[in-house]
Amino acid sequence: MRITIVALNAFPLIETGKSRNIGGLETFAWNLAQGLAVNELDQVQFVVRSERACIARKHHGVQVDFIHEPCREIRQSVSKAIEIDSARRIPRIRAWQPSLLWKIPLLAFRKVFFPRYSEAKSIAAAVERFDPGVIVTLGVNQTSAMLGELARDRNIPIALWLQSNADLDRNLFDNVGFVDRYGVRSEHAQACLRLCRNIVCQTQTQFRRLKEMESIQSDSQTQPVHAIHLANAIDTSAFPNAEASPDRRNGVLWIGRADRFHKRPHLAIKIAARCPDIPFTMILNPSEDAVYREILNVKPPNVAILDFVPASEMSKRMSNAWLFLSTGSADYEGFPNVFLESSASGTPILSLEDFDEFLLRSGGGLSGGGRVDQVVENILRLHSSPAEWMQFSRNGRAYVCVHHERSAIVQKFRRWLEAIVLAHRA
């Protein structure tokens, strides 16, 4: 098969160190692409976005094609600083930056003298050059809606792999004009489910919710959804230092972005403040400047904050940690890949919430049931119980190796894709 995977923001995983904004979706997509490329019968295209012109090349057996979007970071920084309600109103400055004095004229110059950038046309050109037999898109968003239209127009089957429980927020499908906290608009979400009828769910929760929505919104003019549940996958060989005792590990590790609703770093700060003798390291993506500055201002002395760690160093960070802490919200998280990375590293997980009952089934850690007090109690309990720590460490590693190993899950996905392609040709 010829398989196209589109993950526009995954450029940092190809060019390590070129950017600091790497999310779970991008890591998941690149992991999937590499897993599919292991099969020599398949050719895999991976489409990413770059600010500079890059030549397409093979990377880990994957054909990487680059969508060139010049001045993207400048455009994003201006849009954060200036609010434009409509063409009739005077733009309002949210946060003054001296750099606006040159960024705005530069963008105006490019708009007048250079061809207008079209993401849809750029993606379509890259896909057409590769000529895939199937397209894989990730998450309910504008890009997936765009790819759904492309697949329909080019008569190519497309598969949508959900990335978050928020992908199936009923407000996106029931309320016209609704925009979720990630900026996904209802019209894009509705287009995703209308055009992408082959859907992979990360969790049983997503699978049940999708079936409920399908029964309510069924239409005789629409093809039925072909859905499957596949567990997230990980290459456990990338985490070789799993056999370790707690006295050779150091501190609690937290990873996420600066926000108030999804990763919730402020809750990690509360937990750390109540464990003053235990060091915490937070790898905090400063995606929301105000939240990031707030966390820096209120963090207790036992918390160290890093705004960036290269992807190549993450497995070492995870393998050196004594515990991994999650304060993510199940309403938005989907299934966190960091749980797999932590368990593969032999690092027990303490989480504010469980996700698809992973901690219950794996025995690789403890859930606080949504209560900060319980998480604090669990941390202090493990701090004085190395035998229990060792049991969680072994349980998590063993469970991931059996139930989440990349090679087995990728093969299931590949067989599912083959069935989709054959049905499309029939």
Side-chain angles (χ1 to χ4, degrees):
M1 282 188 297
R2 296 178 66 82
I3 306 166
T4 288
I5 300 174
V6 179
L8 295 180
N9 295 327
F11 180 71
L13 294 167
I14 311 301
E15 294 279 343
T16 303
K18 296 296 182 183
S19 173
R20 299 185 169 210
N21 191 16
I22 305 174
L25 183 152
E26 290 74 34
T27 304
F28 175 92
W30 182 233
N31 185 39
L32 176 63
Q34 292 178 90
L36 287 166
V38 169
N39 188 336
E40 295 182 356
L41 298 175
D42 298 325
Q43 297 180 55
V44 182
Q45 178 194 38
F46 196 67
V47 181
V48 301
R49 176 168 43 209
S50 172
E51 275 208 292
R52 61 181 175 82
C54 296
I55 299 173
R57 62 180 180 271
K58 278 285 185 75
H59 191 56
H60 292 282
V62 178
Q63 171 68 31
V64 181
D65 285 317
F66 300 88
I67 302 300
H68 180 211
E69 183 181 357
C71 298
R72 174 178 171 78
E73 290 188 7
I74 293 175
R75 192 175 294 108
Q76 286 185 317
S77 67
V78 170
S79 67
K80 286 182 179 180
I82 298 178
E83 180 180 1
I84 301 175
D85 291 332
S86 69
R88 297 180 180 179
R89 293 189 178 183
I90 298 175
R92 182 176 68 86
I93 296 177
R94 292 195 189 101
W96 169 251
Q97 303 169 5
S99 61
L100 293 175
L101 293 173
W102 64 265
K103 288 179 178 178
I104 293 174
L106 174 62
L107 294 177
F109 177 82
R110 289 198 61 87
K111 186 173 182 179
V112 173
F113 294 102
F114 288 84
R116 184 181 178 87
Y117 168 78
S118 169
E119 187 170 276
K121 290 181 180 179
S122 298
I123 293 174
V127 171
E128 287 172 0
R129 284 194 299 270
F130 185 74
D131 189 25
V134 62
I135 296 171
V136 177
T137 187
L138 303 160
V140 170
N141 49 52
Q142 184 176 5
T143 300
S144 290
M146 184 192 308
L147 286 165
E149 293 178 353
L150 174 65
R152 177 198 59 197
D153 295 343
R154 305 301 193 277
N155 195 29
I156 305 170
I158 185 169
L160 166 65
W161 201 316
L162 300 178
Q163 294 295 295
S164 165
N165 291 340
D167 284 343
L168 298 178
D169 184 344
R170 289 296 298 270
N171 287 308
L172 286 169
F173 304 96
D174 295 343
N175 299 334
V176 176
F178 179 78
V179 181
D180 75 7
R181 299 183 81 161
Y182 295 111
V184 177
R185 307 184 71 85
S186 59
E187 59 264 34
H188 297 141
Q190 291 166 21
C192 280
L193 260 60
R194 185 176 68 253
L195 297 167
C196 305
R197 307 300 288 174
N198 305 298
I199 299 178
V200 184
C201 300
Q202 293 177 304
T203 65
Q204 289 289 352
T205 300
Q206 292 170 5
F207 189 79
R208 288 192 298 268
R209 189 178 297 181
L210 180 64
K211 289 300 182 182
E212 291 169 0
M213 293 173 61
E214 178 68 4
S215 64
I216 294 171
Q217 300 177 349
S218 59
D219 185 331
S220 60
Q221 303 299 315
T222 305
Q223 291 292 323
V225 168
H226 183 201
I228 186 175
H229 166 236
L230 287 176
N232 282 21
I234 188 171
D235 178 10
T236 55
S237 66
F239 298 85
N241 301 319
E243 296 298 328
S245 59
D247 58 359
R248 299 181 63 183
R249 302 293 191 99
N250 183 41
V252 178
L253 179 65
W254 181 99
I255 302 172
R257 70 177 68 87
D259 66 37
R260 300 186 192 280
F261 66 96
H262 181 180
K263 296 298 185 179
R264 305 185 294 191
H266 56 286
L267 296 180
I269 290 294
K270 285 185 178 180
I271 292 167
R274 295 178 58 182
C275 305
D277 297 327
I278 300 173
F280 284 67
T281 298
M282 296 179 67
I283 301 175
L284 182 62
N285 184 333
S287 53
E288 293 185 28
D289 293 340
V291 177
Y292 182 75
R293 289 195 301 270
E294 178 184 319
I295 296 298
L296 288 178
N297 289 334
V298 301
K299 76 176 187 67
N302 62 324
V303 175
I305 293 182
L306 305 175
D307 65 359
F308 173 65
V309 170
S312 58
E313 295 182 15
M314 287 303 295
S315 64
K316 184 178 180 181
R317 288 271 177 183
M318 193 68 82
S319 296
N320 288 338
W322 171 64
L323 290 177
F324 178 77
L325 171 65
S326 168
T327 53
S329 166
D331 289 338
Y332 296 96
E333 188 79 48
F335 186 86
N337 290 320
V338 285
F339 274 29
L340 303 185
E341 295 171 2
S342 180
S343 292
S345 305
T347 304
I349 301 164
L350 293 189
S351 181
L352 192 62
E353 301 180 36
D354 203 350
F355 298 91
D356 210 37
E357 298 186 333
F358 175 80
L359 296 178
L360 179 64
R361 287 184 282 105
S362 69
L366 296 168
S367 167
R371 295 185 293 120
V372 167
D373 289 349
Q374 186 61 56
V375 175
V376 172
E377 182 180 322
N378 290 340
I379 292 175
L380 298 177
R381 166 181 152 189
L382 280 188
H383 197 245
S384 59
S385 180
E388 190 173 18
W389 185 99
M390 287 292 294
Q391 191 60 55
F392 285 137
S393 175
R394 294 193 188 103
N395 289 348
R397 171 75 179 181
Y399 186 88
V400 165
C401 288
V402 172
H403 297 281
H404 292 271
E405 184 59 55
R406 186 174 73 182
S407 58
I409 291 171
V410 165
Q411 282 306 307
K412 290 180 183 178
F413 179 58
R414 185 184 181 280
R415 289 194 294 270
W416 186 74
L417 284 182
E418 283 184 325
I420 288 170
V421 172
L422 289 173
H424 187 81
R425 290 172 181 169

